[in-house]
Each structure stands twice: as structure tokens, then as C-alpha cells.
Amino acid sequence: MYQSAIDLDDVTAIDMHVHIEVDDHGHTSLPEPLVAAASAYFKTDGPRPAVDAVAQYYRERRMAAVVFTVDARTQLKHQPLSSADIARAAAEHADVLIPFGSVDPRTGEAALELADRLIQEEGVRGFKFHPTVQGFDPGHDEYAPLWGLLERAGVPALFHTGQTGIGAGTPGGYGLRLGLSNPILLDPIAADFPDLQIIMAHPSVPWQDEALSVATHKHNTWIDLSGWSPKYFPAELVRYANSVLKQRVLFGTDYPMLTPDRWLRDVQTTGLKPDVLPGILKDNAARLLGLAR
């Protein structure tokens, strides 16, 4: 069972958004057409590292990383990677890795049972959801039992928001619906489950104002800055990150699609203030995840 061994004094940053896209047997988290489309969208054809390689990559950079997959078995008709396997592998690298689980909300009671098992038996520290790829409206009442379970367990829920490169350029976008990732759909969850910490992943283009509105109104919500080079961050996002939201904004990359090396280089071109960067890079995530010094 995973137990964090991260020394906060020894790491320079906590990357809140790292995908595990392949397992040790070569099985990918997405069907091959979506892997190819995502590579074209992000203009990368680099390797998709498994957990051990991800751990080594972040250890070399003196960073910690939150790792996860996305379980979209219903929508994609594709067997997901095992969140239990990811958690067990992360336990072998507990000095740098923090496992999040993923369940398919559309599987109903099975999702609740799997989420509970991942928390109780594997020690996952949060859950990742991608409403567009998983094909569900997170604010719909039928998913409330899942959010209640996570709230009671005290683990955060990380939701993809905004535009996605997955399915981009394929016929009909592979049937995936962008509107399901509008962050305003997370507002009723934040309202009904005030002790559930909700992370809105990515600059939420084209709904950045909605994300900022939710985050300023519901203080159990956070924003991670993954998926976009910082030089493309919307001006309003930077302004809020420098001020009213500076304690609830988190460093994230979307690795392997975007590297922490590029993120750290490009952030120097933005208006993010030097005095807020330590919080964004490490301190806010450490507080959210309950990592003790």
C-alpha cells in the first residue's frame, strides 16, 4: 500500500498532472487512433514512459509528481490501465511519486466499489476524471454518490477542464463532446460537497472566466496550470494567480505531452510574480495533499 516518503525539503516542485499512458506490457491508456491524434495535436511523437521511467525522470529533476490514468472504458470501448498497478508501482518510488486513481463514473456501483478499494487497499491520494473523454456530465445527480465517497475519504478530485487534444482532428472528434469539460459544470459539485477539494485542470480555454468565477466563489476549488506552455496562459488567469487565487493555483505539466523543463523555462516569460511561484510550484500542492515536512 502506498505511503508517501517525499521529503519536501529535498524537492523543488510538485507536478500535479502527469499521465501514465502505457503499462509494463505495452498496453496504452487510449485506443491507437487517439494516441496518434494526441501526438499530432501536441506536436510530439516522443515515448510514452511507464511508471518506473517517469519516477526516474522526476527524481533526476528533484521533483515529485502526481501520476494517474483515465478510466474511460464505457465511452472508448477500451480497457483502461490499472490504477491499482499504478499505485503499487508508485509505492516503489514513494520518494517522488503520488498516485491518483481513476474510475469510470458511468459504471455506477462498480465505480464506487473500485474507488473505495483503491483508497482503502492501495492508498491512492486522489482521483482523476476527464468528463469529455469519459463522456459524462459531472454535475448530474446520478454521480453524487461518487463525490460523496471521495469527500468522506478526504481525497481530492482532479477534473480535466477546457479544450482537449484527445480526439482533435479525427472524424467528429471521435465523438467526444467538449462542453462536458466546461468548469461551470463543477460548480454544483463544489456547492453540494463543500469538503471535497476539486482541482480544475488546465487553463480552461475557452471557459477561463467560468473557472475563475467558480474558484473565487467556492474555496474548495483549485486550478492547475497544466497542458499549456505558460507563455500562452490567458491574462486573466495570470492576474488571479498573482492575487486572490495565489494559494489555490498549482504547478502541473501534462507530461509527457508537455515537459517540466519547458514549463519552467517558459514561465519566466509570463507575468507570474516571483513571490507567488514557490506556492504554485510546491507549497500549495503540499498543503492540498497533506504532505508534512
Side-chain angles (χ1 to χ4, degrees):
M1 180 171 173
Y2 176 84
Q3 294 288 340
S4 175
I6 293 170
D7 182 347
L8 287 178
D9 292 326
D10 194 46
V11 297
T12 61
I14 300 172
D15 188 338
M16 286 293 301
H17 204 109
V18 174
H19 287 269
I20 303 300
E21 298 189 349
V22 65
D23 64 19
D24 290 336
H25 307 290
H27 180 66
T28 57
S29 61
L30 296 171
E32 180 54 38
L34 290 184
V35 174
S39 295
Y41 180 85
F42 286 99
K43 297 181 174 62
T44 178
D45 56 2
R48 304 298 202 267
V51 177
D52 290 348
V54 169
Q56 183 58 27
Y57 181 88
Y58 278 87
R59 192 175 288 117
E60 290 169 355
R61 286 157 178 76
R62 294 184 58 211
M63 294 182 184
V66 171
V67 294
F68 48 72
T69 187
V70 175
D71 184 339
R73 65 186 72 192
T74 303
Q75 180 69 24
L76 300 183
K77 310 290 192 294
H78 181 80
Q79 185 65 26
L81 301 187
S82 167
S83 287
D85 286 350
I86 291 173
R88 291 167 192 167
E92 298 296 318
H93 303 283
D95 60 315
V96 290
L97 298 185
I98 303 160
F100 273 26
S102 185
V103 297
D104 182 350
R106 292 170 65 182
T107 60
E109 190 65 31
L112 298 175
E113 293 173 359
L114 178 55
D116 186 62
R117 188 162 66 249
L118 288 170
I119 295 166
Q120 301 300 331
E121 299 179 11
E122 306 298 344
V124 301
R125 302 295 292 267
F127 282 82
K128 166 65 188 281
F129 300 96
H130 196 310
T132 291
V133 170
Q134 294 174 306
F136 79 106
D137 178 344
H140 198 282
D141 288 345
E142 69 181 287
Y143 306 114
L146 180 55
W147 314 140
L149 186 154
L150 302 188
E151 182 185 48
R152 291 189 299 275
V155 296
L158 169 64
F159 290 89
H160 171 95
T161 66
Q163 169 79 0
T164 181
I166 299 176
T170 63
Y174 213 79
L176 304 180
R177 302 187 177 192
L178 296 177
L180 295 173
S181 291
N182 186 327
I184 202 67
L185 299 179
L186 303 177
D187 184 65
I189 305 176
D192 293 343
F193 302 93
D195 292 324
L196 175 63
Q197 301 304 307
I198 296 169
I199 307 163
M200 297 180 282
H202 316 308
S204 302
V205 175
W207 302 294
Q208 189 62 71
D209 287 344
E210 283 88 336
L212 295 173
S213 178
V214 172
T216 53
H217 192 258
K218 306 292 193 301
H219 286 194
N220 56 323
T221 60
W222 308 64
I223 293 175
D224 91 27
L225 299 177
S226 65
W228 295 69
S229 162
K231 64 184 179 181
Y232 300 121
F233 287 170
E236 280 294 277
L237 175 59
V238 172
R239 187 168 74 86
Y240 276 71
N242 277 334
S243 55
V244 294
L245 296 182
K246 64 183 179 182
Q247 293 188 319
R248 287 185 286 118
V249 174
L250 306 160
F251 166 55
T253 61
D254 224 8
Y255 184 81
M257 294 303 179
L258 181 70
T259 68
D261 297 343
R262 181 182 177 190
W263 196 102
L264 290 172
R265 182 182 69 244
D266 289 357
V267 79
Q268 302 304 318
T269 69
T270 73
L272 285 171
K273 297 176 181 178
D275 63 306
V276 307
L277 279 175
I280 291 172
L281 288 172
K282 183 171 69 171
D283 297 340
N284 294 344
R287 190 173 72 255
L288 169 63
L289 296 171
L291 300 176
R293 288 193 179 276

